Each structure stands twice: as C-alpha cells, then as structure tokens.
Amino acid sequence: MIRKSQLVNALFVLGFALFGIGSYYGLKSGISKGMMISSAAFVAILIFHLLDALYRRRIGRMLTGTWWLCMAYIGTLAVSMFVALRGGIPGVQMGNALLSCMVFLAPFNAAVVVLHHNAHDERFRFADLLFMGLGALLAINVLGYLAGIQAVGHSFEGRANFPFIRGIYTGSHVLAVWSLMLLLRMNRSVQRPAALALGVLGLIASLAFMIQINSRLSILVFLFLVVLLAIRAIKAVRGLYTISLFTMPLLLSSSLLVYQLLSLPVFARIMQRVSVEDVTTFNGRSYIWTAVGDWALNDRTGLLLGNGFKGHYALGLLEAVAVLWDEPRSYNLHTHATITEVAVAQGILGVVLLYVIFWRGFKFYRAQYQEGTALAPIFGGFAYLLFIWQLDIFCYGVEIGHAILFCMMAPLCRQALPTSGTGPGTTNAPP
C-alpha cells in the first residue's frame, strides 16, 4: 500500500520534469497551457494535502515567519502581474496572469507540504528529494537533446540547447545547482568508491554540457564556488553574503579583467565569443543594466513599489537596446538579471524582501553545511543562486530558478522539525 508521504514525494520529483516539459509546450503551443503543465504535479500535492486536511478536520499551526516572508515576496510578484494587466502590457491577459500566480506559489507550498508529510520519517532526506527532482529535469533534457529534439525559443546553433527548459542559459544554471549539490553529497561517498566514481563522472558530464551551452558567467560562478567548496575554504570565508550583494557592480567595474581571464589559453580553448566588446559588455547586458541604473538614480518612477511586470516597457527603458538587438518592441526583452527585473517590477519593496529571504536561507544552509547535517548538500546550490540572481533572470517569476529557490526555503518554514545530522532530513527551522 502506498503511503501518503510516498505519493507526495513522487509527485514532487515528477514536478520538476513536468515544469520543464511545460516550458517546452508553452513556447510551442501556448504559454497558458504550458504553465498548467509546469505546475500540475505541485498543484496536485496541494490539492491532496487540502483534501487530507479537511478529512482529518485539522490543519496544524506549523508555519514560521519565514513562510510569511516568502509569501509576502510572492505576493508582490502576483500584484505586479495585475499592475501589468491594468496597464495594458502586450501579452498579459487575465488567464495567464492567474496561471503565473499559480506557478509562483505552487512549487514552494508543495515543498512545505512534502516536509509536513515526512516530518516523522527518520529516513527522509529533503536534500535527496530535491536533488532527484533536479536530476529528473536534467535527465529529460539530456535525453531530449541527444534524441535531436529542437529547443523552442532562446537557443543558438552549434551549442547545447536543452529542449525542455526555458532558455539556453537556464540549462547551465540548473546543471550548476545540481552539480554543486552533488559535490557536497560526495563528501558522504568517500568510503564508497563506486558512488564516488559515479559522482566524479556526473561532475565531468555536467561541466562538459555547461561548456557546450557556453554560459560564461555561469561557468565562472560555478568554478569559483567549486574551488571554495573543494578546499573547504567556504567555511572560513567571511562576508560571502556581503560580497554577493555587489556581484553586478564588481563584474561591471572589472570587465577588462574578466576579458583577460577568459583570454587565457585554458578558457579560450573551451569558450566561444571571447572578444573585447562581447565580454566587456557581457553580451550587451551592461547596456540594459546601465539603463536600469539610470532609471533608479534619475527617474525613480515607481521605485518604491514597482511598475508591474514588464515595467521597463511601460517606462520605455529598453527601447534603445531593442534597436541594438533587432527586436521590434522592447516588451519582448527582459532586464537579464533577477535583481533588476524585481527592482523595476516590484520596486525597493520586492528587492528588500528578496534580500532578506536570501540572507535567511544563506545563514540557515551555511549552518547546516558547517554542522554536516542531512541538509548540507543544498548549501552548494543555494550559494550559486546567491550570486547568479544578480546576473541572470533565472530566479525571477515563472523561471525554474524561482521554484528551486523557494523549494530550498521550505525547510525554514516549518515549526518543530526533528533535529539530527544523521537522521531526519530536516532540522529545527528559525522563526
């Protein structure tokens, strides 16, 4: 007989693969249908939990302040969709606005439900479940790519374009998160040569695909964290969160240094597009980020509460960039960084909420890593998100990175979870 916990666990793992399939179907046959597929398994978990809670006539008070904090941020995301709907942003309709809200909410709350149903199982490991979910997403993408299925949307000829994912660089980010989790899981495989060998092969394969995708920023952040984790310097590095706050300005101010680094033989042989103009502007992203910076310093329209989804179109921020990139209208663009997208769409309010979420998550997972708990592997992936959200759109809205980030926050959202570094896969969460 299948236990309830086994059912929700299976749906959670399946949810990531369906998220990828929904991204493909949405780009090919309609964004609304795609979002329904992407959120289907996570919504099924929530419906199952609701019916179970009603049947038992009890809903426990299990949520911490972190859950309310995360819901407040997701609330600003939802409001931004309806601001865009009211403002007449092209492509935003009532149906896809509501479905977007479902995609924002479902994975996070499904992860909280999964933890609830496994709270008394000493063998349960949430980190393992998340790792398997991301592995399932990568597996269908690798198999689809090898089978010759063509990616729809953002892709480049001659590079590895994963089909079941939104955008070519998203594949590199998911590979990086999964690989960093794998690296920390390998700490438990030192006494098991076969498991250790499989882990090393997994890391090599992931890096090979990342090189084929050719996301330079992703590879640089990934290698930086691999070095810190491999030599365990990350335990001694102070101020990592503070350093991450300045990721974008540090990159922009040291663009020539980045070019010199990428021009070294070891990188020049494996990377393409190593030209001064391309590298120093980060493939044109610096023009977008500069435009957003000018708005924040000089215009400041909607700076506090935001201008809604695609607020840059309402403000006309990226019209000049659209011309450079041969886009007929700037609403087809985004600002190529979660922090800038949130700043324009949700204002300082959204940015501050997200900063606090990252701080709580970083503090929590660093402690798990230092103590060697069952949640420690998540620290590697979370550290990657800590930097990449300031350099790519990966963690915004309906992107898979948003779902990954908030699933990682789920262990902080339950009260009175069992504490053990070798037993249950969760620990007592902070309030």
Side-chain angles (χ1 to χ4, degrees), residues 153-236:
H154 187 221
S155 60
F156 296 99
E157 187 176 352
R159 290 154 71 177
N161 299 284
F162 284 169
F164 303 116
I165 214 156
R166 184 188 295 271
I168 183 171
Y169 299 130
T170 301
S172 188
H173 299 321
V174 176
L175 280 166
V177 170
W178 184 83
S179 298
L180 288 164
M181 291 179 66
L182 174 61
L183 182 62
L184 293 187
R185 284 167 59 88
M186 287 167 62
N187 290 339
R188 298 181 294 182
S189 304
V190 176
Q191 304 301 324
R192 295 180 294 161
L196 185 62
L198 286 173
V200 171
L201 287 175
L203 286 175
I204 293 172
S206 293
L207 184 58
F209 274 112
M210 289 173 70
I211 291 169
Q212 286 297 310
I213 292 171
N214 200 233
S215 173
R216 295 167 303 195
L217 291 176
S218 176
I219 291 173
L220 287 176
V221 174
F222 173 72
L223 292 178
F224 167 68
L225 291 171
V226 164
V227 171
L228 289 182
L229 289 169
I231 65 176
R232 304 199 176 187
I234 203 165
K235 284 187 176 181

